[in-house]
Every structure is written in C-alpha cells, then in structure tokens.
Amino acid sequence: AIDSGTFIISSSDDAIHSNGAVVINGGKFDLSSGDEAINAGTSLEINGGTINVSKSSDGLKGVNVAINDALVEIDSGDDGITANDILTFVGADVTVNSVGDGIKSDNDEDSTKGLISIEDCAVTVVSSQGDAITAQTQLMIISGTFTLTSGDGSAGIPSSTVSTKGLKAGSSIVVDDGVFVISSSDDTINSNNI
C-alpha cells in the first residue's frame, strides 16, 4: 500500500503495476505512461489523494476498481478507467479525456459481471470514440454531478462500428438522483431496462 508521498513518474510501460492488489491511501501522483498508468492484477483501491495521468493507453485498470474521496484526472489513448467485475466511485472528483470508453466495467469471460456504482461524485468525461460510462450489466447512480460528452457530441453522426453513448448498460440503469449534462452522438441513455 502507498499511504502518502509525491510521485512523478514517466514510463514507457506501466507507471504503477502489481500482479495483485494496488492500494493508495493518499499522496500526489503525476503519471505519464506508454501503457497503463496504474495496472492492478486484482483490485485497485484509491482512498484519497490526487492522481493526474497526463498520458496513457488505459488510465486506471483492475479486476475491481474503487475510488473513494480522491481527485482523479486522466488523459488516455484508449479507455480511461476500466474494471472487469465491479467499479465503484464514492465521494470522488473524476475527469477523463479518452479516445475509447471513458469509464467502463466489462468481463469477456463472465456475462454476469461488469457493474458500476457511483455515489456523491463529480464526474466529467469526454470520450471521442467510445461511450462516456458503460457497464456490461448494471449501472447504478446514487447521486452526483455528471458532465458527459461522447463521440462528437450531439452534433456528431452515430457510427455503425463504434458505440458513442452517454450512459450505457447491458441489463439495467438505475438513477436515484443526480444532475446530468450529456451530449452524445449516439443514444444518450441506453439499456435493456431503465
């Protein structure tokens, strides 16, 4: 675990990599990576601190990803934040500029996984060639402020090969509360059940 400190890292591979878990409980991280900025083989847990990713393929990646009470800013050439099973945000301030999906949870090997839960967060996503927020199964938003742009926004033309939706989930989307400003070139809110 990393409890505090200042880290300025420039790497041609992953900036921070673990075959197991990564736990960050505070500190300031300025990361530039030729691959993933933070890559956890199992779980990635961020409890406070500031994470700034100026360059990456995927920004933050883990089987399970939890971001609590942290300031996170990511520029990524592919997906911004991605989990296989469960992705949760609580009390976080998250900004993602990505080419691929901004925030994603999906699992190619288990169709029952790929859940996203967001509570009391400020989330800004600009995704040029992907979905802003996408969950394989359920997307649950309890509260927060969301400013999302996917594709070229509402002025763009939907692609036949790339999904550029605002909020997307395979099985269901549940919204308890929140403020949403969404501009998408594809469906703004898309799921089998809403």
Side-chain angles (χ1 to χ4, degrees):
I2 299 173
D3 292 325
S4 188
T6 299
F7 300 84
I8 301 171
I9 299 173
S10 180
S11 173
S12 59
D13 203 345
D14 295 344
I16 299 173
H17 178 100
S18 172
N19 292 328
V22 173
V23 178
I24 295 172
N25 294 318
K28 187 175 188 297
F29 298 80
D30 290 315
L31 308 176
S32 176
S33 170
D35 201 355
E36 277 83 38
I38 304 178
N39 185 357
T42 56
S43 63
L44 170 58
E45 184 177 343
I46 300 172
N47 303 306
T50 300
I51 313 286
N52 179 55
V53 178
S54 59
K55 177 187 174 185
S56 65
S57 175
D58 292 334
L60 309 181
K61 186 175 183 179
V63 175
N64 295 303
V65 175
I67 300 176
N68 308 304
D69 302 311
L71 173 63
V72 177
E73 298 180 349
I74 295 173
D75 281 296
S76 64
D78 193 3
D79 301 328
I81 302 172
T82 179
N84 297 121
D85 295 353
I86 301 172
L87 192 158
T88 62
F89 296 167
V90 178
D93 188 330
V94 177
T95 300
V96 175
N97 288 285
S98 64
V99 176
D101 298 321
I103 297 167
K104 176 173 75 173
S105 184
D106 71 345
N107 189 315
D108 293 336
E109 299 177 355
D110 190 338
S111 62
T112 66
K113 297 180 178 178
L115 168 73
I116 295 176
S117 174
I118 302 174
E119 179 178 0
D120 191 26
C121 294
V123 178
T124 300
V125 176
V126 176
S127 171
S128 62
Q129 297 178 34
D131 300 316
I133 302 177
T134 177
Q136 180 171 292
T137 55
Q138 185 181 61
L139 170 58
M140 179 182 301
I141 295 175
I142 299 167
S143 58
T145 302
F146 299 82
T147 305
L148 312 175
T149 303
S150 57
D152 292 322
S154 59
I157 299 172
S159 168
S160 61
T161 57
V162 176
S163 178
T164 53
K165 296 174 175 61
L167 301 176
K168 175 183 171 183
S171 60
S172 66
I173 293 175
V174 177
V175 176
D176 289 343
D177 198 4
V179 176
F180 299 84
V181 178
I182 305 173
S183 181
S184 63
S185 60
D186 201 339
D187 298 338
T188 302
I189 301 174
N190 177 287
S191 181
N192 289 329
N193 296 283
I194 298 172

